[in-house]
């Protein structure tokens, strides 16, 4: 049980797929113009990551080493197809916004990376914990980035046609934030801030122990 | 779309004006992963051009002669296309190691990485069934094999061009006086943002 919690926490902090490992960036930067879309993108990734980790881990003794990558990819692709068709049927609006990025979860390096680095060598319970941890870590970063971009870029956060937070009406939103370069700038500053915070925590820990 | 002029426009539009890396965020992992070094980025770009062209050709054939006539494309295209790409990459790697060690040393180690490059899957899908992804250019209802090839070449050339120029920028950044917290990846993102700003500036030229 303790191992599971430890594995889960690693995905959130020191092995966060986005801010630390820097994998699976494409979709993150592209869909983070809208909190609502980012929320569902994150959920889709959590589902695919956890399920594929569980299945790959369950069959790890049967999958031959030489052809493991194609097998992993087919397993992942099946779960992505499930998400793709479900979203298309029940949430057409969000599906349209996410568009290309749902099928492209197949090649999200975060998922294949976890299958290769973790699920293939660990027991099912641990693999599920790792999938959940990595997925939630991904989800937190993508939603945070979308929150900043939507708030600064449009002046308000809209979810399911209701305005949750609005900046004062005198605020003139800079369009750059919603454009592609804005995503790069904001994400760059986000990594710098998380890194600075991490270094400060490290320093404090050292000061306490010494 | 058939005359030489239109094909040339298709190429330029796919490569520069709607560059998939810097205006669509497709294929960012290698963009940050291998751009630390100029030589590596050159090898990666070559490998991408090579694999993408092969992948598009095969997905086009499979889609046109197998998936669409059978009416199963809608729900089988993701597993089918990714399996084609994964096995293709594996075959190319084995073949290259046997036949041309020089070529293998230049781009062999990047081949496994390419399987998970979203640019390859996205372009191969777009070339096989245009308009589905609405990726960068309006390609009309369907493409001939020749047009699909030109489109793929354009996209991959644009990918390579952006990757190589970014790698050259990053090599100079290494010796630049950057604040300590911004060193490395954060600064790379800011640079990518500036580069992307330049590409956004030419979006929409020639009505593309």
């Amino acid at each position: 049980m303790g191992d599971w919690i430890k594995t889960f926490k690693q995905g959130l902090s020191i092995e966060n797929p986005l801010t630390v490992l820097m994998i699976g960036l494409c979709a993150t930067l592209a869909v983070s113009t809208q909190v609502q879309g980012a929320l569902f993108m994150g959920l889709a990734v959590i589902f695919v990551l956890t399920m594929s980790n569980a299945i790959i881990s369950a069959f790890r003794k049967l999958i031959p080493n030489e052809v493991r990558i194609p097998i992993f990819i087919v397993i992942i692709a099946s779960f992505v197809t499930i998400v793709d068709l479900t979203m298309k049927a029940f949430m057409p609006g969000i599906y349209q916004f996410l568009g290309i990025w749902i099928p492209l979860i197949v090649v999200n390096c975060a998922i294949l990376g976890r299958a290769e680095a973790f699920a293939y060598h660990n027991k099912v319970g641990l693999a599920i914990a790792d999938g959940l941890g990595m997925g939630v870590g991904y989800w937190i970063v993508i939603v945070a980035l979308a929150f900043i971009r939507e708030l600064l870029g449009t002046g308000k956060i809209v979810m399911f046609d209701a305005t949750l937070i609005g900046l004062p009406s005198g605020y003139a939103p800079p369009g750059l934030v919603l454009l592609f370069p804005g995503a790069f700038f904001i994400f760059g500053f986000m990594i710098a801030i998380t890194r600075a915070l991490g270094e400060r925590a490290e320093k404090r820990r050292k000061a306490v122990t010494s | 779309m058939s005359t030489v002029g239109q094909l040339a426009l298709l190429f330029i539009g796919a490569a520069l004006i709607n560059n998939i890396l810097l205006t669509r965020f497709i294929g960012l992992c290698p963009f940050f992963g291998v751009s630390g070094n100029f030589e590596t980025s050159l090898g990666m770009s070559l490998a991408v051009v090579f694999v993408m062209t092969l992948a598009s050709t095969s997905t086009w054939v499979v889609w046109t002669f197998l998936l669409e006539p059978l009416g199963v494309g809608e729900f089988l295209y993701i597993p089918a296309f990714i399996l084609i790409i994964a096995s293709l990459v594996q075959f190319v790697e084995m073949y290259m190691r046997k036949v041309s060690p020089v070529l293998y040393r230049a781009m062999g180690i990047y081949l496994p990485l390419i399987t998970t490059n979203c640019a390859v899957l996205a372009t191969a899908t777009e070339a096989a069934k245009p308009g589905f992804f609405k990726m960068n250019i309006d390609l009309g209802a369907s493409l001939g094999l020749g047009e699909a090839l030109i489109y793929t070449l354009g996209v991959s050339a644009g990918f390579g061009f952006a990757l190589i120029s970014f790698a050259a920028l990053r090599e100079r950044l290494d010796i630049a006086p950057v604040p300590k917290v911004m060193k490395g990846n954060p600064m790379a993102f800011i640079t990518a943002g500036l580069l992307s700003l330049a590409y956004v500036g030419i979006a929409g030229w020639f009505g593309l």
Side-chain angles (χ1 to χ4, degrees), chain A residues 30-59:
Chain A
V31 304
S32 60
T33 54
Q34 211 191 65
V35 173
Q36 191 188 336
L39 217 62
F40 281 98
M41 182 71 197
L43 285 180
V45 169
I46 293 178
F47 173 76
V48 176
L49 191 52
T50 313
M51 295 305 283
S52 64
N53 255 11
I55 298 287
I56 288 167
S57 166
F59 287 98

Side-chain angles (χ1 to χ4, degrees), chain A residues 20 22-27 29-30 66-67 69-70 73-74 77-78 80-81 84-85 88 95-96 99-104 106-109 112 149 176 179-181 183-185 187-189 191-192 195-196 199, chain B residues 21-29 31-32 74-79 82-83 86-87 90 112 115-119 121-122 132-135 180-187 189-194 196-197 200:
Chain A
V20 181
M22 311 266 288
I23 48 181
L25 285 170
C26 337
L29 295 185
E66 293 79 25
V67 288
I69 301 274
I73 274 196
V74 172
S78 332
V80 171
T81 308
D84 189 57
L85 295 177
K88 201 186 225 169
Y95 182 78
Q96 193 137 39
I100 174 172
W101 296 106
I102 291 290
L104 283 187
V106 175
V107 281
N108 191 319
C109 356
L112 190 69
R149 281 181 77 194
L176 180 70
L179 281 175
F180 301 99
F184 283 121
F185 291 142
F187 195 68
F189 283 115
I191 307 174
R195 190 195 279 181
E199 271 170 19
Chain B
L21 265 179
L22 292 164
T23 67
R24 283 295 177 277
F25 293 131
I26 298 169
L28 275 185
C29 294
F31 190 60
F32 287 99
E74 184 68 20
F75 44 86
L76 267 189
Y77 76 98
I78 303 177
I82 193 67
L83 195 59
S87 39
Q90 205 106 26
T115 313
T116 54
N117 186 344
C118 26
L121 179 66
F132 181 77
F133 275 173
K134 297 186 185 60
M135 199 160 84
K180 198 172 146 255
V181 282
M182 298 293 284
K183 251 205 170 1
N185 280 327
M187 202 57 214
F189 273 96
I190 308 290
T191 316
L194 292 172
S196 154
L197 207 54
V200 170

